[in-house]
Every structure is written in C-alpha cells, then in structure tokens.
Amino acid sequence: LPWPDQLRMLALSYLTTLMAHPHAAPLIAERSLRTAGSLRVVEKALRIMTEGGVYLVDAVATIDAIGLLSSGIAQAASASPEPSDRGSHDRFAWLPPEEFPLLAQAAEAGALSNGLAAVLDFAVNGMIAALETQALPAAGRRPIAARKGSTY
C-alpha cells in the first residue's frame, strides 16, 4: 500500500483501540508513550512516512498530531452523554435557524459529522496533503532530521 493509505490505517487503528478502552484515553493523554510496545508503533509510523519521502521532523509532528487528536476524540466520546447512533440533524434540530443559519443548513444537509472516525480521517487527509507538498523527491529518499525552513 502507498504510505498515505498505511498512515490512514494506522491512525484509524489507534483511534479504534482508544475507543475500545475509553477509560485508557485520559491516561494516555496525560502520559507520554514510553514503553517499548508503544514506541514500536511510533517507529513503524515514522518509517512509513520517511520511506515515502516525508522529512523526519514532519513525520514526528504528524505522529504527535494524530496522537493528540485521537486521544481527544476518544475522551470526548467517552464523556458524551449523547447516544452515538443519533443523526447529526437530530442532535441539532433544536437550533433556531434564524440565529444559527449555517449550522442549521449543515445539519439539514447531513454535513455535521456524528462519526468520530470521519473527523480523524478528515484531519489525517489534511496532514497527508501537507506532507505530500513537502516530501523529498523519489530519488534519494531517506529520513532527514529537518527540511530547510522548518518551523519545528
């Protein structure tokens, strides 16, 4: 599989794992991953991206972003009193359209996601698009600690 597809699968797998263990999400968010097992997953993700031409510094930032977003989504889901099977239109049906015309239109069109994996997928797609614009050319790909002009 191309590296973007592998990264998407890894990100979704991480979120799925967090969602399966909702009480673990706050603990993971509070503590950095320091066990050999968790670092193997990070190493795998870094390898996926750097072998695809992504600069190492950008790959590290991407892993951090996916981890923070995933743990935030999992925490929000575990704290939410709303049933997850309600549609986005139903959840926002109470909004007065004159006060919230854009949110009401988005709810009516089904554009307000009630799928937490869809939120992560949207964010990961944005990260991949940014990474692809900054990736190393195919010739001579290797992990480089920083690219010129890096702000990290």
Side-chain angles (χ1 to χ4, degrees), residues 12-83:
L12 184 57
S13 174
Y14 182 63
L15 177 62
T16 301
T17 300
L18 288 177
M19 298 289 282
H21 306 283
H23 300 296
L27 296 173
I28 291 170
E30 290 175 12
R31 297 181 177 94
S32 63
L33 301 175
R34 296 184 183 157
T35 67
S38 60
L39 291 175
R40 280 186 196 97
V41 175
V42 172
E43 184 71 19
K44 178 179 180 179
L46 293 174
R47 184 169 317 286
I48 287 168
M49 287 184 278
T50 57
E51 287 179 355
V54 174
Y55 287 94
L56 184 57
V57 66
D58 295 334
V60 169
T62 301
I63 292 303
D64 287 344
I66 289 171
L68 290 169
L69 185 57
S70 296
S71 64
I73 289 170
Q75 286 183 63
S78 68
S80 176
E82 297 180 6

Side-chain angles (χ1 to χ4, degrees), residues 11-12 15 66 69-70 73 115-125:
L12 184 57
L15 177 62
I66 289 171
L69 185 57
S70 296
I73 289 170
L116 298 171
V119 172
L120 181 65
D121 191 53
F122 178 81
V124 170
N125 285 336

Side-chain angles (χ1 to χ4, degrees), residues 136-147:
L136 293 165
R141 286 188 175 169
R142 58 190 160 86
I144 296 179
R147 60 182 161 75

